[in-house]
Amino acid sequence: MSRQLEGKTAIVTGSSTGIGAAIAKRFAAEGAKVVTNSRSRERAKTVADEIENEGGTAIAVESDVTDHDEMAAMIEATVDEFGSLDIMVNNAGLTRIGPAESISPEDWRHVIDVDLTGVFFGSQLAGRQMIEQESGGAILNISSIMGGIGLHKRAPYCAAKAGVNNLTQTLAVEWAPHEIHVNALAPGFIKTDITDQTQSAADYTDEDIRNRTPLGRFGTLDEMTECATFLVNTDHYVTGEVLHADGGWTAYAWGSSGE
Ligand code: NAD
């Protein structure tokens, strides 16, 4: 079977763990040259080494998505190494949990900084590079079902992801003349560090999530990479789309018991 991303170069931010690491490995398996990224070069390199050991091509670049200069340097390093940038996945994200009435200004700013400003910086710099290349491209922003619905104690995360959804539409419209497709993937509940962190501080159990999800289970990393691979292909007519990969969660009107 032909590989879907043969010859493309892709950056995946926050790809030392979870969904980002899975996307980086899948894109490499599909033939892409991949740049793994983390705030720690060592952590990013672990995933790049795994890709290389499987016969893929990858380099690791350290950068914080909230730092415009570091992000610009990552794009430059990518183009120096591989000659172009064709796919940008703005995946890095985190959350802080607390009642809206008492969440600290620092926590609010930190989540907005990483989850929204980081996505804008990554998109802006990648878009600039793709426009200069005149070869089109794909930007994929990892949003969340929380971008379209509310959940108590997640005000900054929900607000940031809602911003990501609109930013995705705005950039899709603005860069369509350059053949740059901008889409978002909005996962439901997938077992990663972020869900562990969220749930240990939260008020619901795995069982509650399974009961509330029409498909009756968590999503898998493979299912997320399948959607991501589709969305970064530019041989479709899809741009400005927020694809919900949530087992039917947002389609379902009932409450938390799932009865
Ligand atoms: P994760 O915690 O494993 O991955 C997040 C990654 O982002 C980590 O590797 C972290 O080190 C990195 N990161 C955080 N701040 C960064 C920064 N400033 N610069 C660079 N990297 C940074 O969790 P995950 O579930 O794989 O999350 C990936 C994305 O998926 C996030 O945007 C998250 O909001 C989104 N998401 C996850 C779920 C889920 O159920 N797991 C659901 C919806 C959306």
Side-chain angles (χ1 to χ4, degrees):
M1 225 174 83
S2 71
R3 300 196 296 173
Q4 297 182 63
L5 305 178
E6 201 70 65
K8 308 265 187 194
T9 297
I11 295 176
V12 186
T13 67
S15 48
S16 62
T17 59
I19 295 172
I23 290 175
K25 290 179 199 173
R26 171 68 187 269
F27 283 10
E30 293 289 350
K33 292 163 276 185
V34 173
V35 177
T36 62
N37 155 260
S38 167
R39 282 158 298 174
S40 138
R41 182 161 190 284
E42 205 184 339
R43 287 205 305 267
K45 192 172 178 315
T46 304
V47 177
D49 287 348
E50 280 177 50
I51 289 172
E52 294 258 316
N53 291 339
E54 291 292 318
T57 304
I59 58 165
V61 178
E62 172 186 324
S63 106
D64 184 320
V65 296
T66 66
D67 187 316
H68 199 266
D69 291 345
E70 287 185 15
M71 291 294 282
M74 176 164 66
I75 307 252
E76 204 180 317
T78 303
V79 176
D80 282 353
E81 181 72 20
F82 296 128
S84 67
L85 175 65
D86 310 297
I87 298 167
M88 180 76 186
V89 182
N90 293 302
N91 164 79
L94 48 70
T95 189
R96 292 286 180 270
I97 296 163
E101 65 273 22
S102 58
I103 196 144
S104 70
E106 293 74 25
D107 279 355
W108 171 270
R109 287 202 183 96
H110 190 46
V111 176
I112 299 292
D113 238 24
V114 175
D115 292 7
L116 179 56
T117 307
V119 170
F120 178 67
F121 286 173
S123 298
Q124 181 191 49
L125 292 160
R128 193 180 289 171
Q129 175 63 31
M130 289 169 185
I131 289 167
E132 194 185 309
Q133 285 171 198
E134 296 184 351
S135 53
I139 296 174
L140 176 61
N141 300 324
I142 307 302
S143 182
S144 163
I145 56 171
M146 304 303 167
I149 53 176
L151 183 61
H152 51 282
K153 298 188 193 161
R154 271 65 166 192
Y157 185 79
C158 292
K161 295 298 187 181
V164 167
N165 291 354
N166 188 282
L167 181 63
T168 299
Q169 293 178 310
T170 300
L171 298 179
V173 169
E174 191 163 334
W175 291 338
H178 302 285
E179 293 288 336
I180 299 169
H181 293 231
V182 187
N183 288 297
L185 177 63
F189 290 88
I190 323 299
K191 283 276 183 197
T192 64
D193 291 354
I194 219 172
T195 35
D196 290 350
Q197 184 198 347
T198 309
Q199 271 179 264
S200 60
D203 20 33
Y204 51 82
T205 63
D206 283 6
E207 195 54 21
D208 293 331
I209 289 171
R210 287 191 199 98
N211 283 341
R212 173 61 179 75
T213 305
L215 283 183
R217 59 177 178 79
F218 282 73
T220 67
L221 291 175
D222 282 350
E223 287 168 334
M224 296 307 110
T225 67
E226 189 66 23
C227 295
T229 306
F230 165 74
L231 287 171
V232 300
N233 261 312
T234 46
D235 53 1
H236 52 53
Y237 198 45
V238 180
T239 194
E241 182 65 26
V242 179
L243 178 67
H244 287 79
D246 65 356
W249 180 285
T250 47
Y252 187 31
W254 200 244
S256 58
S257 77
E259 296 299 321

